[in-house]
Amino acid sequence: MPTRILPAVGDADAVRSITTLLSQLPDAEPVAPVVDSTQLIDTLARLAAESVDELPEVVVVHERIGPVPALELIREVALRFPAVGVILVTSDASPGLFQAAMDYGARGLVALPLSYEELASRVQAVAQWSVGVRRHLGTGGDVFTGVGGTVVTVSGAKGGVGATLTAIQLALAAQASGRSTALVDMDLQTGDIASFLDVQFRRSVVDLAAITDISPRVLADAVFRHDTGVALLLAPAEGERGEDVTDRATRQIVSALRSRYEVVVIDCGAQLGGAGAAAVEMADTALLVTTPDVVAVRGAKRTVRMWDRLQIRKAEETTIIVNRHSRATEIQPPLIQKITGTAVAATTIPAHFKELQGVVDAGRVHELEAKSTVKQALWGLAGELGLVKTVEGKGGRVRGDRGAVSFRRRKDGKEAGA
């Protein structure tokens, strides 16, 4: 059986040299290379969704892959796709880097300039390991596909546009439908999820920042289980401690959460730091909340352009959520879509603050009435985003909040919020 090898190389010259050597290896079947970390993860996730047998046995990661650093990328591949063996190609073959690569989950290291003998030996050993792991997984019943949970980030075009409320209600809708859900407050200096949900808990996301190997038990100690069932990972009470959460720590935390929960909703606030940038980059869906006014829409456009410049997220990969929408406003969703160059969610959130004022002031937004038009819209948005699990034979209603939101079948077979 040929060994499928997926090169992850961003440098054009390195691509040519690596693919040439790989094609000369016996029983090797190199596939089309991927040029960055995002494309690698997306490719592996797509293949894993079909079957674990569709995954390549070996992934070769070049040291200059980006935008996620090579070692961080190796860790994520090892966590999400444990049946794939990873080889790091690097110019630094020191014992220190070799140990670090092994700690991050690599199965081998090959020094530059490439040697045919060394590459062939490493690929053969890693391929045999991968085949053995798959054989072992195949005897255990359920095969782990490595796709993991869905990660959704919610950011604000500016402060006060409703990003936190949106994140909370999306998480509540997902949890109520029967999906295990985590809600993370990554607005590290001014996060308000604890206040909105009337929670006092001494642990926060900072407690995970210095841990290099986040085990399920460590993660369970850091999260707070809310009465609704949602697992909360809160922002620190002392805002200055948020600086301890680096982009590297964020990637580890998000990867750990993804492996434990079906849905992970992250409130990133309106300020972009290293932690928020890493979360947005890793997200399956990146939401940007705006209100239909000139200042907020300008803020949304500025944020989208900044994400693109920093190679965090392309405009077409971002979805705008329009909050406090009214037919009377001059700025409507199609215009926002044209200005920002992003997708805009079909579901808009109506401007009915009176429905919210009581529960917001009491810090009990999870007790927002089911008949609230704001709640119905936000839970309908969760359905549009594919975050909720519907119950067959019950009219498509979300479990756990009778009457809060339902879904009707359109003529094209898709579901629409009602």
Side-chain angles (χ1 to χ4, degrees):
M1 178 180 175
T3 300
R4 291 162 297 179
I5 309 170
L6 175 58
V9 189
D11 182 84
D13 293 334
V15 167
R16 284 190 292 270
S17 63
I18 290 177
T19 53
T20 299
L21 271 180
L22 290 176
S23 63
Q24 297 173 5
L25 299 181
D27 296 325
E29 185 183 309
V31 298
V34 295
V35 299
D36 59 39
S37 57
T38 302
Q39 189 180 2
L40 173 61
I41 296 299
D42 289 347
T43 300
L44 294 177
R46 175 175 51 80
L47 294 172
E50 299 176 15
S51 168
V52 70
D53 293 329
E54 296 298 320
L55 287 167
E57 285 78 20
V58 180
V59 169
V60 178
V61 175
H62 192 272
E63 63 179 354
R64 291 200 298 271
I65 194 72
V68 175
L71 290 179
E72 300 293 343
L73 179 60
I74 290 170
R75 178 188 289 275
E76 184 165 1
V77 172
L79 283 171
R80 296 182 59 184
F81 312 99
V84 175
V86 184
I87 296 174
L88 174 64
V89 175
T90 175
S91 56
D92 178 10
S94 65
L97 181 63
F98 180 84
Q99 183 61 52
M102 297 305 104
D103 290 343
Y104 275 75
R107 300 302 307 178
L109 184 146
V110 178
L112 291 169
L114 290 174
S115 159
Y116 173 86
E117 290 76 13
E118 185 182 11
L119 184 61
S121 174
R122 282 292 88 212
V123 167
Q124 183 181 16
V126 173
Q128 290 176 351
W129 172 87
S130 176
V131 171
V133 169
R134 296 176 195 212
R135 188 180 300 116
H136 174 72
L137 289 175
T139 63
D142 296 332
V143 176
F144 175 63
T145 62
V147 177
T150 299
V151 176
V152 179
T153 56
V154 184
S155 306
K158 68 179 189 68
V161 296
T164 299
L165 179 67
T166 299
I168 291 172
Q169 291 297 332
L170 291 179
L172 291 174
Q175 180 70 37
S177 75
R179 288 191 165 178
S180 59
T181 304
L183 176 60
V184 185
D185 198 341
M186 203 61 76
D187 187 1
L188 298 172
Q189 293 187 342
T190 58
D192 278 327
I193 285 180
S195 298
F196 273 53
L197 295 176
D198 192 25
V199 169
Q200 293 183 349
F201 189 59
R202 63 185 181 87
R203 295 194 181 276
S204 73
V205 66
V206 174
D207 293 295
L208 298 176
I211 300 175
T212 57
D213 187 11
I214 303 175
S215 67
R217 181 172 182 177
V218 169
L219 185 63
D221 287 341
V223 301
F224 175 83
R225 181 69 62 179
H226 192 259
D227 293 342
T228 58
V230 175
L232 303 179
L233 186 55
L234 302 172
E238 303 83 12
E240 65 275 12
R241 296 191 64 201
E243 296 179 359
D244 296 337
V245 185
T246 63
D247 55 344
R248 174 180 173 179
T250 300
R251 292 189 181 98
Q252 295 176 8
I253 293 167
V254 173
S255 295
L257 289 165
R258 192 198 295 268
S259 68
R260 299 291 297 175
Y261 297 94
E262 294 177 82
V263 176
V264 180
V265 181
I266 305 175
D267 178 9
C268 294
Q271 298 290 329
L272 182 68
V280 171
E281 182 184 354
M282 293 182 68
D284 299 291
T285 302
L287 306 179
L288 183 59
V289 182
T290 187
T291 48
D293 58 84
V294 173
V295 175
V297 174
R298 282 178 178 171
K301 181 179 180 180
R302 185 167 57 245
T303 298
V304 168
R305 287 185 172 181
M306 179 171 59
W307 287 359
D308 191 36
R309 287 195 306 272
L310 297 176
Q311 297 184 342
I312 297 170
R313 201 91 183 179
K314 295 179 181 178
E316 57 268 25
E317 297 173 347
T318 302
T319 301
I320 294 285
I321 307 300
V322 182
N323 189 23
R324 300 172 198 155
H325 174 260
S326 168
R327 294 183 181 275
T329 58
E330 185 174 345
I331 300 177
Q332 293 293 318
L335 178 58
I336 296 175
Q337 182 174 16
K338 183 177 180 181
I339 291 172
T340 60
T342 65
V344 174
T347 305
T348 57
I349 316 305
H352 290 300
F353 183 71
K354 287 185 178 179
E355 297 178 357
L356 301 171
Q357 189 167 6
V359 293
V360 170
D361 290 345
R364 309 282 293 179
V365 297
H366 53 288
E367 295 179 354
L368 184 61
E369 292 186 5
K371 65 182 180 181
S372 161
T373 57
V374 174
K375 180 172 182 175
Q376 289 179 5
L378 285 167
W379 285 42
L381 174 63
E384 179 183 339
L385 298 173
L387 302 182
V388 300
K389 187 189 304 180
T390 57
V391 182
E392 296 297 330
K394 297 292 184 180
R397 292 188 181 277
V398 174
R399 293 183 293 184
D401 202 326
R402 184 172 299 174
V405 63
S406 62
F407 300 92
R408 61 178 181 273
R409 290 282 179 182
R410 299 195 313 222
K411 292 182 179 180
D412 58 6
K414 297 181 179 180
E415 292 175 340

